[in-house]
Amino acid sequence: MVRRTFIKTAGLSAGAFWVRRPTHAAQSSGAGLPALLGGEKAYRGKWPTWPRWIPEHDEPGFLKCLRSGVWSRAATVTEFEKRWAEAVGAKRCLAVVNGTNALITALAQLGIGAGDEVILPPYTFIATAQAILMNGAIPVFCDIDPATYQIDPRRIESKITSRTRAILPVHILGLPADMAAITALAKKHGLYVVEDACQAWLAEVNGKKCGTLGNAGCYSFQNSKNLAIGEGGAIVSDDDAFMDRCHAYHNYGNAYGTAVGVVGAGTAMLGTKLRYTEYQAAMGLAQLKRLPAETALRHENAEYLKARLSKIPGIIPYRFSPGVTRAAFHLFPFRFDSEAFGGGLTRSTFLKALAAEGVPCSSGYTPLNKMPYVKHAFETKNFRRMYTAEELDYDAWLARNQCPENDRICQTLVWLPQHVLLADRAAMDRIADAVAKLHAHADKLAKA
Ligand SMILES: *Cc1c(COP(=O)(O)O)cnc(C)c1O
């Protein structure tokens, strides 16, 4: 309805000359006018839906769990932890309620708290920064590499102070960060590395899975994620004492394994409750069976699409960090250069036009280092007890945490959602056709 009105209005302008029905040949080759200007959509098929639920495959284990009446943490959660640890090649895994609390728990059990600084990239989901603040530590934003969108290891060293305790790289969009450089810096300065692998299930650097490259790795299984359980998270590590502390913390501080106090002496440490349920674990076990094949398909389709899009002027797809052998592609990213599109087509019009072609897309994150939550944290009672007024000078913090590369990426990146990468090769071609068509008609789109 909106589109029809738009075309009518456009019909009164000079652009009307171009509004004509495309020929059949034009439809199938994706040529002709952009759909936003009245042409045919480049992609008229259906995209795979997400999340996937395949009754005959997914329901037997889930229903068995429901009918058992054992819904609180028991053998199914333990089984899921075992399978996830195997899938990523970690010694131990603890399932927790979500990725946010996986990060909070990991930082807390590495002893990170008041007076500490944790270095993170600004191009990430809000939970990464909140996990640092929730432990009473100060987030220190380190700008990104605009080609990979990941924390730029060349900029980390200048962010390290006597208070720095950890680096928190995020494998954002499912593309691995430069872990060799990051772990070398951490070693040199005696820092922990906690990986936010909440978008990087089964992604790899030199054949080793993201989440197992530092001291601890955290994952999310939220509804939109590539391993979708509605809500869910996990921590992995090879450090038994650390994992025992995480387990105790996630279970009211009750002693677990070797970590805490004398068994039988009562609850031994500060803790909360973050336990996973049996039915979540049953869902996860079903989804996990499909994850390796889905991950391989996303990677193949992404690399194919990247090769095609790279040929279109003004489209600059992602670049991998050194050593990446597989990415998880929670999102497919490329930079949009407005100048190469009719000398100034805006990203927002490009996104509208691409969506009109039948390709789901979005503009992604806004700068995380500039949102009001840090100021609010600094104004809380706890922070005012933990830090001096000078340490909580928000304007000074903000000035130290500027990230201009990230600002530019936030203004120029385009995301395609992961489920489009589960379609077939022909669908990837239609995406590339759509973008090429928008490029060919960029000047008309810019005027529309
Ligand atoms: C999803 C996500 C989280 C948080 O996970 P939840 O399960 O939603 O709590 C943390 N970091 C990143 C990068 C994420 O994408």
Side-chain angles (χ1 to χ4, degrees), residues 98-101 103 124-125 127-128 170 172 196 198-199 220-222 225 231-232 330 365:
N98 52 46
T100 306
N101 277 281
L103 288 163
T124 182
F125 183 61
T128 319
V170 184
I172 204 64
D196 182 337
C198 287
Q199 297 187 3
S220 167
F221 309 125
Q222 185 270 344
K225 304 294 173 100
E231 299 292 352
H330 182 52
Y365 295 128

Side-chain angles (χ1 to χ4, degrees), residues 353-374:
L354 189 56
E357 297 298 335
V359 180
C361 54
S362 64
S363 57
Y365 295 128
T366 52
L368 201 61
N369 50 326
K370 297 177 173 176
M371 294 177 192
Y373 64 96
V374 178

Side-chain angles (χ1 to χ4, degrees), residues 76-80 229 276-286:
T76 319
V77 175
T78 305
E79 172 76 8
F80 176 77
I229 314 181
Y276 218 42
T277 64
E278 288 285 280
Y279 41 89
Q280 284 172 293
M283 285 180 75
L285 285 167

Side-chain angles (χ1 to χ4, degrees), residues 377-411:
F378 285 7
E379 286 165 357
T380 60
K381 206 168 174 180
N382 283 2
F383 270 77
R384 283 188 282 128
R385 286 269 174 154
M386 291 187 287
Y387 294 94
T388 65
E390 202 189 339
E391 287 164 343
L392 295 183
D393 180 339
Y394 176 73
D395 292 334
W397 177 88
L398 191 61
R400 283 194 305 275
N401 282 273
Q402 291 301 302
C403 296
E405 294 293 354
N406 182 63
D407 292 345
R408 279 189 283 276
I409 285 298
C410 288
Q411 280 162 17

